[in-house]
Amino acid sequence: MSIALMLREGTAEKHHETETVPYLRAIFRGGLDPQTYTYQLESLKYVYEVMENLFEINKNDPILSKVYYSELNRLESLNEDITFFQKKFNTSLRGKISNATAKYIQYIESVASTRPAMLVAQSYVRYLGDLSGGQAIKKVLVKSFGLEGNDGTAFYEFPKISNLNEFKGIYRQALDTLPFDELQKKELLEEARTTFDLNKFLFLELDEDLRKNIGEEKYQSLFSAR
């Protein structure tokens, strides 16, 4: 089985777990508020800042170099969106790294220091997610917040990539060239599953913020039978 197919099939359950977190369900039901979304952008900023710095440091690594594409970098776009939401909706930042975000970052740094090749899992889960499900989230955000053009959605824009679907194919082909033996493939799959969990924990933390920011009554109404 190819590495790309192994990762897709082997993380399907974790993917589903993440998709069914109430926070994501609230987003797709139009219940997200600007303040909570700003917190999300802030958390992702810290994660991508660490991840992309580590990829830059290791970009000549014989393994990581095969899936290193600078056009995927998201840090600049996250900063752009944060600035937009602060100005447009007068939102604020936490001013500190949240607990779930800190654990996420610490894990990435630990992997980089001991098993840098396994950072491939971070790239796979994060960037393919942005190129795929992230595009659906973008459409919901535009509608929920009344956004125009690319204002507030830079995170989901990839101006250096002309065709997202074609690029995803190129990325998966690159994954399949990784010279991993069966043991390394198994380790990579476990890392991808762990990455989904780390992302899920971020959403669970944000779910608590959402409840506080929109109020319990409105929060509960998002999940009433429809």
Side-chain angles (χ1 to χ4, degrees):
M1 182 184 294
S2 73
I3 291 177
L5 183 58
M6 174 198 72
L7 288 172
R8 180 178 179 180
E9 293 186 354
T11 61
E13 182 178 354
K14 292 294 184 181
H15 196 172
H16 178 71
E17 286 180 13
T18 303
E19 286 182 328
T20 54
V21 169
Y23 180 72
L24 274 182
R25 290 167 57 203
I27 289 177
F28 282 102
R29 294 191 175 190
L32 185 59
D33 68 297
Q35 180 57 69
T36 307
Y37 184 59
T38 300
Y39 286 158
Q40 177 182 332
L41 292 171
E42 183 182 17
S43 287
L44 291 178
K45 169 190 171 181
Y46 290 127
V47 170
Y48 279 87
E49 184 172 31
V50 170
M51 184 177 78
E52 291 175 358
N53 181 56
L54 290 170
F55 260 87
E56 178 65 26
I57 291 172
N58 293 283
K59 66 182 180 182
N60 294 320
D61 178 89
I63 298 297
L64 294 183
S65 62
K66 293 181 179 295
V67 293
Y68 176 78
Y69 297 94
S70 61
E71 55 265 47
L72 288 173
N73 287 351
R74 299 288 84 203
L75 182 58
E76 183 178 340
S77 62
L78 283 163
N79 282 322
E80 183 179 332
D81 285 345
I82 288 171
T83 298
F84 172 82
F85 272 83
Q86 286 181 298
K87 291 182 177 179
K88 175 73 173 179
F89 299 103
N90 196 32
T91 59
S92 59
L93 300 177
R94 293 185 194 275
K96 62 179 182 179
I97 298 177
S98 71
N99 291 334
T101 308
K103 290 178 181 178
Y104 199 150
I105 291 171
Q106 289 165 6
Y107 185 83
I108 297 173
E109 292 174 332
S110 174
V111 170
S113 65
T114 57
R115 299 166 293 134
M118 291 299 117
L119 286 174
V120 170
Q122 294 292 332
S123 174
Y124 169 78
V125 174
R126 291 246 56 102
Y127 292 129
L128 279 196
D130 300 335
L131 290 165
S132 301
Q135 301 307 304
I137 292 176
K138 171 192 170 183
K139 294 178 181 179
V140 176
L141 295 177
V142 169
K143 183 177 181 180
S144 296
F145 298 136
L147 304 178
E148 297 181 358
N150 295 330
D151 289 342
T153 59
F155 177 62
Y156 306 100
E157 300 291 337
F158 293 84
K160 296 180 181 179
I161 299 176
S162 58
N163 187 303
L164 299 190
N165 285 328
E166 286 183 6
F167 184 86
K168 286 189 290 185
I170 292 171
Y171 185 93
R172 292 188 180 102
Q173 289 174 1
L175 282 174
D176 290 339
T177 68
L178 298 178
F180 283 170
D181 59 28
E182 291 305 309
L183 185 61
Q184 289 172 309
K185 289 179 181 179
K186 182 178 180 180
E187 184 180 3
L188 179 64
L189 177 56
E190 288 307 309
E191 285 299 319
R193 288 171 172 162
T194 297
T195 302
F196 269 106
D197 282 339
L198 291 167
N199 195 44
K200 180 179 69 176
F201 297 147
L202 268 186
F203 288 145
L204 289 172
E205 183 178 65
L206 288 164
D207 190 58
E208 291 301 311
D209 292 315
L210 182 64
R211 295 175 78 118
K212 295 174 184 177
N213 289 331
I214 68 174
E216 188 66 23
E217 183 177 350
K218 183 176 180 180
Y219 177 86
Q220 293 297 337
S221 71
L222 293 172
F223 307 107
S224 58
R226 295 190 176 189

PDB file of all heavy atoms in Angstrom, residues 76-101:
ATOM      1  N   GLU A  76       2.330  33.809   7.541  1.00  0.00           N
ATOM      2  CA  GLU A  76       2.052  35.171   7.070  1.00  0.00           C
ATOM      3  C   GLU A  76       0.555  35.408   6.903  1.00  0.00           C
ATOM      4  O   GLU A  76       0.029  36.461   7.287  1.00  0.00           O
ATOM      5  CB  GLU A  76       2.777  35.418   5.746  1.00  0.00           C
ATOM      6  CG  GLU A  76       2.610  36.833   5.217  1.00  0.00           C
ATOM      7  CD  GLU A  76       3.381  37.068   3.930  1.00  0.00           C
ATOM      8  OE1 GLU A  76       4.314  36.294   3.641  1.00  0.00           O
ATOM      9  OE2 GLU A  76       3.054  38.032   3.210  1.00  0.00           O
ATOM     10  N   SER A  77      -0.139  34.424   6.352  1.00  0.00           N
ATOM     11  CA  SER A  77      -1.578  34.580   6.133  1.00  0.00           C
ATOM     12  C   SER A  77      -2.342  34.602   7.455  1.00  0.00           C
ATOM     13  O   SER A  77      -3.344  35.313   7.592  1.00  0.00           O
ATOM     14  CB  SER A  77      -2.108  33.458   5.240  1.00  0.00           C
ATOM     15  OG  SER A  77      -1.927  32.193   5.834  1.00  0.00           O
ATOM     16  N   LEU A  78      -1.874  33.844   8.437  1.00  0.00           N
ATOM     17  CA  LEU A  78      -2.519  33.858   9.756  1.00  0.00           C
ATOM     18  C   LEU A  78      -2.376  35.225  10.406  1.00  0.00           C
ATOM     19  O   LEU A  78      -3.332  35.757  10.983  1.00  0.00           O
ATOM     20  CB  LEU A  78      -1.917  32.777  10.646  1.00  0.00           C
ATOM     21  CG  LEU A  78      -2.388  31.349  10.346  1.00  0.00           C
ATOM     22  CD1 LEU A  78      -1.457  30.326  10.979  1.00  0.00           C
ATOM     23  CD2 LEU A  78      -3.824  31.152  10.858  1.00  0.00           C
ATOM     24  N   ASN A  79      -1.209  35.807  10.319  1.00  0.00           N
ATOM     25  CA  ASN A  79      -1.005  37.153  10.863  1.00  0.00           C
ATOM     26  C   ASN A  79      -1.902  38.166  10.171  1.00  0.00           C
ATOM     27  O   ASN A  79      -2.463  39.072  10.811  1.00  0.00           O
ATOM     28  CB  ASN A  79       0.464  37.564  10.715  1.00  0.00           C
ATOM     29  CG  ASN A  79       1.361  36.937  11.763  1.00  0.00           C
ATOM     30  OD1 ASN A  79       0.976  36.804  12.919  1.00  0.00           O
ATOM     31  ND2 ASN A  79       2.565  36.556  11.371  1.00  0.00           N
ATOM     32  N   GLU A  80      -2.067  38.005   8.879  1.00  0.00           N
ATOM     33  CA  GLU A  80      -2.927  38.905   8.100  1.00  0.00           C
ATOM     34  C   GLU A  80      -4.373  38.802   8.563  1.00  0.00           C
ATOM     35  O   GLU A  80      -5.053  39.827   8.757  1.00  0.00           O
ATOM     36  CB  GLU A  80      -2.815  38.552   6.618  1.00  0.00           C
ATOM     37  CG  GLU A  80      -3.615  39.456   5.707  1.00  0.00           C
ATOM     38  CD  GLU A  80      -3.463  39.089   4.238  1.00  0.00           C
ATOM     39  OE1 GLU A  80      -2.405  38.542   3.866  1.00  0.00           O
ATOM     40  OE2 GLU A  80      -4.418  39.329   3.465  1.00  0.00           O
ATOM     41  N   ASP A  81      -4.858  37.589   8.751  1.00  0.00           N
ATOM     42  CA  ASP A  81      -6.245  37.393   9.184  1.00  0.00           C
ATOM     43  C   ASP A  81      -6.470  37.886  10.607  1.00  0.00           C
ATOM     44  O   ASP A  81      -7.530  38.456  10.918  1.00  0.00           O
ATOM     45  CB  ASP A  81      -6.631  35.915   9.084  1.00  0.00           C
ATOM     46  CG  ASP A  81      -6.875  35.468   7.648  1.00  0.00           C
ATOM     47  OD1 ASP A  81      -7.016  36.344   6.771  1.00  0.00           O
ATOM     48  OD2 ASP A  81      -6.920  34.244   7.411  1.00  0.00           O
ATOM     49  N   ILE A  82      -5.510  37.665  11.475  1.00  0.00           N
ATOM     50  CA  ILE A  82      -5.629  38.142  12.858  1.00  0.00           C
ATOM     51  C   ILE A  82      -5.765  39.656  12.880  1.00  0.00           C
ATOM     52  O   ILE A  82      -6.636  40.210  13.567  1.00  0.00           O
ATOM     53  CB  ILE A  82      -4.414  37.690  13.694  1.00  0.00           C
ATOM     54  CG1 ILE A  82      -4.491  36.191  13.968  1.00  0.00           C
ATOM     55  CG2 ILE A  82      -4.356  38.462  15.018  1.00  0.00           C
ATOM     56  CD1 ILE A  82      -3.233  35.618  14.596  1.00  0.00           C
ATOM     57  N   THR A  83      -4.933  40.333  12.115  1.00  0.00           N
ATOM     58  CA  THR A  83      -4.991  41.795  12.042  1.00  0.00           C
ATOM     59  C   THR A  83      -6.340  42.255  11.514  1.00  0.00           C
ATOM     60  O   THR A  83      -6.941  43.212  12.034  1.00  0.00           O
ATOM     61  CB  THR A  83      -3.863  42.331  11.137  1.00  0.00           C
ATOM     62  OG1 THR A  83      -2.600  41.977  11.693  1.00  0.00           O
ATOM     63  CG2 THR A  83      -3.951  43.844  11.005  1.00  0.00           C
ATOM     64  N   PHE A  84      -6.849  41.559  10.502  1.00  0.00           N
ATOM     65  CA  PHE A  84      -8.149  41.914   9.922  1.00  0.00           C
ATOM     66  C   PHE A  84      -9.253  41.807  10.964  1.00  0.00           C
ATOM     67  O   PHE A  84     -10.070  42.733  11.121  1.00  0.00           O
ATOM     68  CB  PHE A  84      -8.470  41.019   8.725  1.00  0.00           C
ATOM     69  CG  PHE A  84      -9.865  41.201   8.203  1.00  0.00           C
ATOM     70  CD1 PHE A  84     -10.170  42.244   7.344  1.00  0.00           C
ATOM     71  CD2 PHE A  84     -10.891  40.345   8.607  1.00  0.00           C
ATOM     72  CE1 PHE A  84     -11.475  42.432   6.884  1.00  0.00           C
ATOM     73  CE2 PHE A  84     -12.191  40.521   8.147  1.00  0.00           C
ATOM     74  CZ  PHE A  84     -12.480  41.562   7.288  1.00  0.00           C
ATOM     75  N   PHE A  85      -9.317  40.689  11.668  1.00  0.00           N
ATOM     76  CA  PHE A  85     -10.398  40.483  12.635  1.00  0.00           C
ATOM     77  C   PHE A  85     -10.292  41.452  13.811  1.00  0.00           C
ATOM     78  O   PHE A  85     -11.315  41.901  14.345  1.00  0.00           O
ATOM     79  CB  PHE A  85     -10.418  39.032  13.121  1.00  0.00           C
ATOM     80  CG  PHE A  85     -11.250  38.140  12.246  1.00  0.00           C
ATOM     81  CD1 PHE A  85     -10.718  37.599  11.083  1.00  0.00           C
ATOM     82  CD2 PHE A  85     -12.575  37.881  12.552  1.00  0.00           C
ATOM     83  CE1 PHE A  85     -11.501  36.795  10.251  1.00  0.00           C
ATOM     84  CE2 PHE A  85     -13.360  37.086  11.736  1.00  0.00           C
ATOM     85  CZ  PHE A  85     -12.815  36.543  10.575  1.00  0.00           C
ATOM     86  N   GLN A  86      -9.087  41.802  14.201  1.00  0.00           N
ATOM     87  CA  GLN A  86      -8.927  42.776  15.277  1.00  0.00           C
ATOM     88  C   GLN A  86      -9.457  44.147  14.860  1.00  0.00           C
ATOM     89  O   GLN A  86     -10.110  44.837  15.650  1.00  0.00           O
ATOM     90  CB  GLN A  86      -7.450  42.878  15.673  1.00  0.00           C
ATOM     91  CG  GLN A  86      -6.941  41.696  16.478  1.00  0.00           C
ATOM     92  CD  GLN A  86      -5.487  41.864  16.874  1.00  0.00           C
ATOM     93  OE1 GLN A  86      -4.608  41.952  16.015  1.00  0.00           O
ATOM     94  NE2 GLN A  86      -5.223  41.927  18.166  1.00  0.00           N
ATOM     95  N   LYS A  87      -9.185  44.517  13.630  1.00  0.00           N
ATOM     96  CA  LYS A  87      -9.623  45.822  13.150  1.00  0.00           C
ATOM     97  C   LYS A  87     -11.114  45.836  12.795  1.00  0.00           C
ATOM     98  O   LYS A  87     -11.835  46.773  13.130  1.00  0.00           O
ATOM     99  CB  LYS A  87      -8.791  46.229  11.925  1.00  0.00           C
ATOM    100  CG  LYS A  87      -7.334  46.545  12.241  1.00  0.00           C
ATOM    101  CD  LYS A  87      -6.588  46.987  10.989  1.00  0.00           C
ATOM    102  CE  LYS A  87      -5.156  47.369  11.304  1.00  0.00           C
ATOM    103  NZ  LYS A  87      -4.402  47.789  10.085  1.00  0.00           N
ATOM    104  N   LYS A  88     -11.563  44.789  12.128  1.00  0.00           N
ATOM    105  CA  LYS A  88     -12.943  44.735  11.641  1.00  0.00           C
ATOM    106  C   LYS A  88     -13.942  44.510  12.772  1.00  0.00           C
ATOM    107  O   LYS A  88     -15.002  45.144  12.821  1.00  0.00           O
ATOM    108  CB  LYS A  88     -13.070  43.611  10.600  1.00  0.00           C
ATOM    109  CG  LYS A  88     -14.478  43.352  10.092  1.00  0.00           C
ATOM    110  CD  LYS A  88     -14.962  44.436   9.163  1.00  0.00           C
ATOM    111  CE  LYS A  88     -16.298  44.052   8.548  1.00  0.00           C
ATOM    112  NZ  LYS A  88     -16.811  45.121   7.652  1.00  0.00           N
ATOM    113  N   PHE A  89     -13.607  43.613  13.699  1.00  0.00           N
ATOM    114  CA  PHE A  89     -14.557  43.219  14.735  1.00  0.00           C
ATOM    115  C   PHE A  89     -14.103  43.583  16.146  1.00  0.00           C
ATOM    116  O   PHE A  89     -14.747  43.182  17.119  1.00  0.00           O
ATOM    117  CB  PHE A  89     -14.815  41.702  14.655  1.00  0.00           C
ATOM    118  CG  PHE A  89     -15.411  41.258  13.349  1.00  0.00           C
ATOM    119  CD1 PHE A  89     -14.619  40.637  12.382  1.00  0.00           C
ATOM    120  CD2 PHE A  89     -16.751  41.464  13.072  1.00  0.00           C
ATOM    121  CE1 PHE A  89     -15.161  40.215  11.174  1.00  0.00           C
ATOM    122  CE2 PHE A  89     -17.306  41.044  11.864  1.00  0.00           C
ATOM    123  CZ  PHE A  89     -16.505  40.424  10.904  1.00  0.00           C
ATOM    124  N   ASN A  90     -13.003  44.306  16.226  1.00  0.00           N
ATOM    125  CA  ASN A  90     -12.488  44.752  17.525  1.00  0.00           C
ATOM    126  C   ASN A  90     -12.245  43.575  18.480  1.00  0.00           C
ATOM    127  O   ASN A  90     -12.547  43.655  19.680  1.00  0.00           O
ATOM    128  CB  ASN A  90     -13.464  45.748  18.175  1.00  0.00           C
ATOM    129  CG  ASN A  90     -12.815  46.529  19.323  1.00  0.00           C
ATOM    130  OD1 ASN A  90     -11.613  46.804  19.283  1.00  0.00           O
ATOM    131  ND2 ASN A  90     -13.586  46.860  20.332  1.00  0.00           N
ATOM    132  N   THR A  91     -11.726  42.498  17.949  1.00  0.00           N
ATOM    133  CA  THR A  91     -11.435  41.329  18.774  1.00  0.00           C
ATOM    134  C   THR A  91     -10.068  41.484  19.440  1.00  0.00           C
ATOM    135  O   THR A  91      -9.266  42.326  19.050  1.00  0.00           O
ATOM    136  CB  THR A  91     -11.434  40.037  17.933  1.00  0.00           C
ATOM    137  OG1 THR A  91     -10.451  40.156  16.892  1.00  0.00           O
ATOM    138  CG2 THR A  91     -12.802  39.799  17.332  1.00  0.00           C
ATOM    139  N   SER A  92      -9.827  40.643  20.422  1.00  0.00           N
ATOM    140  CA  SER A  92      -8.551  40.692  21.139  1.00  0.00           C
ATOM    141  C   SER A  92      -7.883  39.323  21.111  1.00  0.00           C
ATOM    142  O   SER A  92      -8.514  38.310  20.792  1.00  0.00           O
ATOM    143  CB  SER A  92      -8.772  41.121  22.590  1.00  0.00           C
ATOM    144  OG  SER A  92      -9.639  40.211  23.242  1.00  0.00           O
ATOM    145  N   LEU A  93      -6.618  39.288  21.462  1.00  0.00           N
ATOM    146  CA  LEU A  93      -5.874  38.040  21.546  1.00  0.00           C
ATOM    147  C   LEU A  93      -5.835  37.562  22.990  1.00  0.00           C
ATOM    148  O   LEU A  93      -6.054  38.344  23.914  1.00  0.00           O
ATOM    149  CB  LEU A  93      -4.445  38.232  21.030  1.00  0.00           C
ATOM    150  CG  LEU A  93      -4.307  38.693  19.576  1.00  0.00           C
ATOM    151  CD1 LEU A  93      -2.833  38.905  19.237  1.00  0.00           C
ATOM    152  CD2 LEU A  93      -4.934  37.694  18.615  1.00  0.00           C
ATOM    153  N   ARG A  94      -5.554  36.289  23.185  1.00  0.00           N
ATOM    154  CA  ARG A  94      -5.410  35.781  24.548  1.00  0.00           C
ATOM    155  C   ARG A  94      -4.225  36.458  25.236  1.00  0.00           C
ATOM    156  O   ARG A  94      -4.237  36.689  26.438  1.00  0.00           O
ATOM    157  CB  ARG A  94      -5.147  34.275  24.531  1.00  0.00           C
ATOM    158  CG  ARG A  94      -6.287  33.406  24.053  1.00  0.00           C
ATOM    159  CD  ARG A  94      -5.913  31.949  24.220  1.00  0.00           C
ATOM    160  NE  ARG A  94      -6.787  31.043  23.511  1.00  0.00           N
ATOM    161  CZ  ARG A  94      -7.933  30.592  23.985  1.00  0.00           C
ATOM    162  NH1 ARG A  94      -8.351  30.966  25.177  1.00  0.00           N
ATOM    163  NH2 ARG A  94      -8.680  29.753  23.277  1.00  0.00           N
ATOM    164  N   GLY A  95      -3.191  36.731  24.435  1.00  0.00           N
ATOM    165  CA  GLY A  95      -1.982  37.314  25.000  1.00  0.00           C
ATOM    166  C   GLY A  95      -1.050  36.281  25.598  1.00  0.00           C
ATOM    167  O   GLY A  95      -0.011  36.622  26.165  1.00  0.00           O
ATOM    168  N   LYS A  96      -1.428  35.029  25.487  1.00  0.00           N
ATOM    169  CA  LYS A  96      -0.588  33.938  25.972  1.00  0.00           C
ATOM    170  C   LYS A  96      -0.931  32.682  25.184  1.00  0.00           C
ATOM    171  O   LYS A  96      -1.981  32.609  24.534  1.00  0.00           O
ATOM    172  CB  LYS A  96      -0.810  33.694  27.460  1.00  0.00           C
ATOM    173  CG  LYS A  96      -2.227  33.266  27.796  1.00  0.00           C
ATOM    174  CD  LYS A  96      -2.385  33.002  29.294  1.00  0.00           C
ATOM    175  CE  LYS A  96      -3.806  32.532  29.611  1.00  0.00           C
ATOM    176  NZ  LYS A  96      -3.979  32.250  31.059  1.00  0.00           N
ATOM    177  N   ILE A  97      -0.054  31.722  25.258  1.00  0.00           N
ATOM    178  CA  ILE A  97      -0.291  30.462  24.560  1.00  0.00           C
ATOM    179  C   ILE A  97      -1.214  29.601  25.403  1.00  0.00           C
ATOM    180  O   ILE A  97      -0.943  29.338  26.577  1.00  0.00           O
ATOM    181  CB  ILE A  97       1.037  29.726  24.297  1.00  0.00           C
ATOM    182  CG1 ILE A  97       1.933  30.586  23.403  1.00  0.00           C
ATOM    183  CG2 ILE A  97       0.777  28.376  23.629  1.00  0.00           C
ATOM    184  CD1 ILE A  97       3.298  29.977  23.136  1.00  0.00           C
ATOM    185  N   SER A  98      -2.319  29.164  24.825  1.00  0.00           N
ATOM    186  CA  SER A  98      -3.290  28.359  25.563  1.00  0.00           C
ATOM    187  C   SER A  98      -2.707  26.991  25.920  1.00  0.00           C
ATOM    188  O   SER A  98      -1.698  26.554  25.344  1.00  0.00           O
ATOM    189  CB  SER A  98      -4.564  28.177  24.738  1.00  0.00           C
ATOM    190  OG  SER A  98      -4.314  27.310  23.641  1.00  0.00           O
ATOM    191  N   ASN A  99      -3.353  26.291  26.823  1.00  0.00           N
ATOM    192  CA  ASN A  99      -2.846  24.994  27.278  1.00  0.00           C
ATOM    193  C   ASN A  99      -2.762  23.970  26.145  1.00  0.00           C
ATOM    194  O   ASN A  99      -1.744  23.288  25.988  1.00  0.00           O
ATOM    195  CB  ASN A  99      -3.742  24.451  28.394  1.00  0.00           C
ATOM    196  CG  ASN A  99      -3.631  25.257  29.669  1.00  0.00           C
ATOM    197  OD1 ASN A  99      -2.605  25.891  29.927  1.00  0.00           O
ATOM    198  ND2 ASN A  99      -4.676  25.250  30.482  1.00  0.00           N
ATOM    199  N   ALA A 100      -3.832  23.851  25.366  1.00  0.00           N
ATOM    200  CA  ALA A 100      -3.829  22.873  24.271  1.00  0.00           C
ATOM    201  C   ALA A 100      -2.789  23.234  23.215  1.00  0.00           C
ATOM    202  O   ALA A 100      -2.136  22.346  22.647  1.00  0.00           O
ATOM    203  CB  ALA A 100      -5.217  22.789  23.643  1.00  0.00           C
ATOM    204  N   THR A 101      -2.639  24.518  22.964  1.00  0.00           N
ATOM    205  CA  THR A 101      -1.647  24.961  21.988  1.00  0.00           C
ATOM    206  C   THR A 101      -0.237  24.677  22.472  1.00  0.00           C
ATOM    207  O   THR A 101       0.623  24.236  21.708  1.00  0.00           O
ATOM    208  CB  THR A 101      -1.801  26.470  21.711  1.00  0.00           C
ATOM    209  OG1 THR A 101      -3.155  26.761  21.367  1.00  0.00           O
ATOM    210  CG2 THR A 101      -0.888  26.922  20.593  1.00  0.00           C
TER     211      THR A 101
END
